[in-house]
Amino acid sequence: MEWEKGLPSDEDLASLSYSLVPWNLAMAFSITPEKSRTIQDANRASETTFSTSSSTNLGVAAEEEDRVGSSSPGSDSKKQKISEDAAGVDISTAEEGDSGTEDLKLKRARLVWTPQLHKRFVDVVAHLGIKNAVPKTIMQLMNVEGLTRENVASHLQKYRLYLKRMQGLTSEGPSSSDKLFSSTPVPPQSFQDLGSGQGSGSAGHVGVPSMMQMPVYAHHMGMQGHQNHHRGSGGPANPYMMQQNKFGSMASYPPVGGGSANEN
DNA sequence: ACGCTAATAT
DNA sequence: AATATTAGCG
């Protein structure tokens, strides 16, 4: 449709995955290829189209209460034409209460797993192999600012369930749900060691079920997301930088060093 | 402290 | 429906 053209092509996004330098190795040489990407890298892929919840909004959804009288109709103010905004991003840590935008420590807004973010996740998981793909490590390697171990753990849990549920139905199309997941190629080794209790008969081995690649992008047509206000005072809890990752042939991307998006 | 699963909460 | 949080265990 319309919005699709604003998005990076599949290949564009795909390029990121391959050719990772053995992380520990990279570390040994103290190469610091990239700064942590903000959750935004992902989101702002499409802007030429909508400004509603997804475009301008970075990956995070803030809880908002727009109780402004009852003038809901005005929703047409902006249409297309939105193109800047780039820098105005903010992860809008849920405000409320007092000091609002305090740094770390306040509850972060719910993380939104955009296709890009998810892809990064999958890439990392794939490169780690089933053994090392644990929340902490994944989180570190993804190097996404503000991403917490819990975020990853939660997503990982779902992801695993998804993979598990996929097996045995080698020829089934993904249910309309699982959009996010079904949109990503299955890392060859992701499973193989999963619970497997399910198999009726053929529990022997796993043959990567090649699932279809639906165009899938999570759009909620519902008008739900709202725009962000900005707190005039202090900036949100994290430094933002957004950048469209344009690595045509980068050789590695591990975080390492300066980054420090999250700590404990 | 971490990780995992299942259940439950928001 | 998507995420987060918690419980209970290894």
Side-chain angles (χ1 to χ4, degrees):
Chain A
M1 311 261 205
E2 273 286 300
W3 43 73
E4 288 206 34
K5 60 183 177 186
L7 305 174
S9 67
D10 250 8
E11 297 87 343
D12 274 348
L13 299 172
S15 55
L16 146 86
S17 28
Y18 318 103
S19 66
L20 288 184
V21 158
W23 167 56
N24 38 37
L25 213 171
M27 212 179 224
F29 286 75
S30 24
I31 59 181
T32 312
E34 292 186 37
K35 247 307 193 146
S36 62
R37 19 178 67 50
T38 356
I39 310 190
Q40 335 228 2
D41 65 356
N43 325 333
R44 42 120 334 86
S46 55
E47 74 277 278
T48 349
T49 38
F50 281 52
S51 63
T52 348
S53 46
S54 24
S55 61
T56 312
N57 183 6
L58 318 178
V60 177
E63 271 268 9
E64 279 176 69
E65 279 283 319
D66 267 333
R67 282 288 122 86
V68 194
S70 50
S71 48
S72 16
S75 53
D76 52 17
S77 13
K78 54 294 194 79
K79 293 262 158 99
Q80 332 188 299
K81 204 15 178 157
I82 335 135
S83 39
E84 27 78 81
D85 81 9
V89 196
D90 97 291
I91 224 170
S92 49
T93 328
E95 60 226 274
E96 220 37 73
D98 46 330
S99 28
T101 20
E102 280 295 83
D103 291 309
L104 322 93
K105 218 359 192 163
L106 281 228
K107 31 183 168 188
R108 315 191 192 232
R110 283 171 71 112
L111 177 66
V112 171
W113 286 92
T114 60
Q116 282 87 350
L117 201 48
H118 174 65
K119 174 146 199 322
R120 215 182 165 74
F121 167 85
V122 172
D123 279 350
V124 170
V125 169
H127 277 92
L128 283 176
I130 211 96
K131 294 173 65 171
N132 304 321
V134 296
K136 196 178 186 183
T137 313
I138 296 172
M139 176 195 77
Q140 286 168 163
L141 284 183
M142 281 180 75
N143 194 34
V144 169
E145 178 169 323
L147 190 66
T148 69
R149 195 176 61 86
E150 281 87 14
N151 289 145
V152 175
S154 183
H155 195 64
L156 180 61
Q157 186 173 27
K158 252 183 73 184
Y159 183 60
R160 283 170 170 165
L161 286 178
Y162 166 76
L163 291 180
K164 208 168 209 170
R165 157 155 49 88
M166 267 315 258
Q167 316 219 71
L169 318 186
T170 325
S171 42
E172 281 299 323
S175 317
S176 45
S177 23
D178 302 334
K179 289 189 182 181
L180 226 198
F181 291 158
S182 60
S183 68
T184 358
V186 173
Q189 300 173 317
S190 296
F191 41 80
Q192 172 177 243
D193 186 26
L194 295 179
S196 80
Q198 196 52 273
S200 38
S202 60
H205 76 334
V206 250
V208 179
S210 48
M211 30 212 238
M212 33 195 284
Q213 271 245 95
M214 314 179 59
V216 160
Y217 276 86
H219 288 130
H220 298 164
M221 292 304 273
M223 16 135 73
Q224 230 195 23
H226 300 256
Q227 263 322 14
N228 26 16
H229 321 147
H230 17 347
R231 316 269 87 76
S233 47
N238 56 63
Y240 342 140
M241 50 175 283
M242 41 194 9
Q243 255 186 77
Q244 168 92 42
N245 292 330
K246 227 2 201 205
F247 20 49
S249 47
M250 272 205 137
S252 62
Y253 69 18
V256 178
S260 82
N262 29 32
E263 224 62 352
N264 13 334

